Amino acid sequence: MNTHAALDTAHVIIDATEYAAIRAVLDTRDLSGTASVIADYETALADWFGTNHAVACSSGTAALHLALLAVNVTSGDEVIVAATAPVMTAMPILAVGATPVFADTATPTSFALDLDDIAAKVTERTRAVIAVPMWGYPADGPDLADACHTWGIPLIEDAAQAHGTIVSGRYAGTRATIGTFSTHNRKLICTGEGGFCLTTNPAIARRLSEMRNIGKRPGESFGATFGLNLKLNAIAAALGLTQLSRLATRLEHRRATLNAVTEHLAGVRGLRPFPIRADGEPNGYAAVFTTPGQAEPVALRLAAAGITSDPMRYGYRPLYHTSALARHAPPTPCRNAEQLAATLLTVPCHEGVDPPI
Ligand SMILES: Cc1ncc(COP(=O)(O)O)c(C=O)c1O
């Protein structure tokens, strides 16, 4: 593998298609979040992911905020969230005045939630569960959606990093009540900043649309219901459309790179490829490894060789160690999540990586 240049975790592909798409939107003189290109982008997203509705918004964090509002999470409620999620997943829970309740993963080498731990933490105040397929690795299967259905609790899947990840024949984010995505610079669909929600439920789609546009309902004025301005702007939507049109090619390339990187590094100083569930396929957002001991010394060696590992970049630890969330720490630590975070390493496998593929 060629590691001659510093390897960041972002790789943005822009060609003449993006310039033309942006110029076309500029020519319309409607750059707002209600321009017609927004609806075009949403239709294309729903088609690509094979679902009924997509609602574009200003970020992945905004998508989670909207999702929580759309399933009526409010002050005093509880939201069960993966302890292995990043801080962006939990902030929207605080924004709606709810309490995050951290759930453990099923094992120290899986991002899937431990259903028994969730069951033990469900109370009459639980209003949502948020699952997160980190680094685009297939995580929770249909069993989580089925369990949430049985409990009558909406499932939100934060697929911010998991565009195109497959679990049990479906794309991540399409089996949940609402799937949320980011289109930040590092993501496989890149609009700089941006996000979207997917749902099969028309009533939820309507609420998401209203709440991202200051509570405006069709034919009524702003404030018909509660809302904020969380719209995506037209230029970003035009970018999103072009980026979406090359998502299939990017997935192919990244999966090939992920396989090559995994083959290249497996066994090096005890690095073990992160297990991939048999019915799933990662999207190549990054290659994940586990280390026999602490991952940090290995990550430091990688950094010295010019390779940035995501867990180093943002000090990956179970979420309840973050200052803003520490007061919600569970009485007993999430043991699997603790071990997972301490022994995890990621290696970029975007199009800027140059392995022998
Ligand atoms: C898992 C996860 N959730 C949520 C977010 C938030 O997305 P955004 O940065 O677009 O707000 C991110 C961003 O990196 C993420 O990785």
Side-chain angles (χ1 to χ4, degrees):
M1 186 171 57
N2 180 354
T3 56
H4 51 77
L7 203 52
D8 195 3
T9 52
H11 184 77
V12 180
I13 299 179
I14 299 288
D15 69 15
T17 330
E18 273 76 14
Y19 285 95
I22 289 177
R23 179 174 288 277
V25 167
L26 291 176
D27 286 345
T28 68
R29 298 291 190 273
D30 184 358
L31 311 184
S32 76
T34 52
S36 62
V37 68
I38 304 287
D40 296 344
Y41 179 43
E42 292 174 336
T43 303
L45 284 168
D47 283 352
W48 198 98
F49 285 91
T51 191
N52 298 357
H53 305 279
V55 177
C57 59
S58 53
S59 69
T61 310
L64 282 158
H65 192 170
L66 285 168
L68 292 168
L69 291 171
V71 297
N72 299 310
V73 180
T74 186
S75 174
D77 291 341
E78 292 173 359
V79 175
I80 294 179
V81 58
T84 45
V87 69
M88 306 79 146
T89 308
M91 288 302 188
I93 302 173
L94 301 185
V96 297
T99 302
V101 176
F102 296 101
D104 206 353
T105 52
T107 73
T109 54
S110 165
F111 295 109
L113 288 168
D114 177 349
L115 288 187
D116 292 336
D117 193 41
I118 300 182
K121 288 172 177 170
V122 167
T123 71
E124 74 277 0
R125 293 196 295 154
T126 308
R127 291 289 173 274
V129 171
I130 305 181
V132 191
M134 289 294 291
W135 286 288
Y137 275 62
D140 301 277
D143 51 344
L144 177 62
D146 292 347
C148 287
H149 185 73
T150 307
W151 294 320
I153 300 172
L155 172 63
I156 297 170
E157 189 171 19
D158 176 3
Q161 305 177 355
H163 313 70
T165 296
I166 294 170
V167 185
S168 260
R170 300 263 298 269
Y171 287 125
T174 62
R175 193 178 267 115
T177 312
I178 305 175
T180 63
F181 293 78
S182 165
T183 57
H184 173 264
N185 230 35
R186 284 173 209 287
K187 305 302 190 284
L188 271 77
I189 301 172
C190 160
T191 63
E193 302 286 352
F196 58 91
C197 297
L198 300 180
T199 183
T200 55
N201 183 318
I204 287 180
R206 205 165 42 245
R207 281 174 59 72
L208 291 166
S209 295
E210 291 164 4
M211 284 186 303
R212 70 158 170 198
N213 192 20
I214 318 156
K216 183 168 175 13
R217 292 189 168 130
E220 296 183 46
S221 48
F222 294 112
T225 182
F226 175 76
L228 298 163
N229 182 2
L230 299 174
K231 299 192 294 297
L232 187 70
N233 76 73
I235 296 175
L239 264 178
L241 265 171
T242 61
Q243 294 273 311
L244 184 63
S245 70
R246 60 164 74 91
L247 179 56
T249 320
R250 292 198 83 174
L251 284 167
E252 212 176 296
H253 190 111
R254 281 177 173 244
R255 284 180 177 136
T257 306
L258 180 116
N259 289 338
V261 167
T262 303
E263 216 168 277
H264 189 81
L265 292 180
V268 173
R269 296 186 198 237
L271 284 186
R272 280 190 301 263
F274 198 76
I276 298 171
R277 50 181 296 153
D279 62 349
E281 207 178 343
N283 66 352
Y285 182 75
V288 180
F289 295 88
T290 57
T291 53
Q294 296 287 311
E296 192 174 337
V298 188
L300 286 170
R301 280 204 299 278
L302 281 180
I307 301 174
T308 307
S309 183
D310 253 341
M312 276 291 285
R313 196 167 57 79
Y314 63 82
Y316 190 49
R317 298 183 72 191
L319 256 185
Y320 46 79
H321 293 297
T322 309
S323 309
L325 298 159
R327 70 193 169 93
H328 302 296
T332 4
C334 296
R335 262 189 330 140
N336 292 333
E338 292 284 346
Q339 189 181 331
L340 183 153
T343 58
L344 192 94
L345 198 77
T346 67
V347 174
C349 46
H350 53 61
E351 295 79 356
V353 180
D354 185 19
I357 54 171

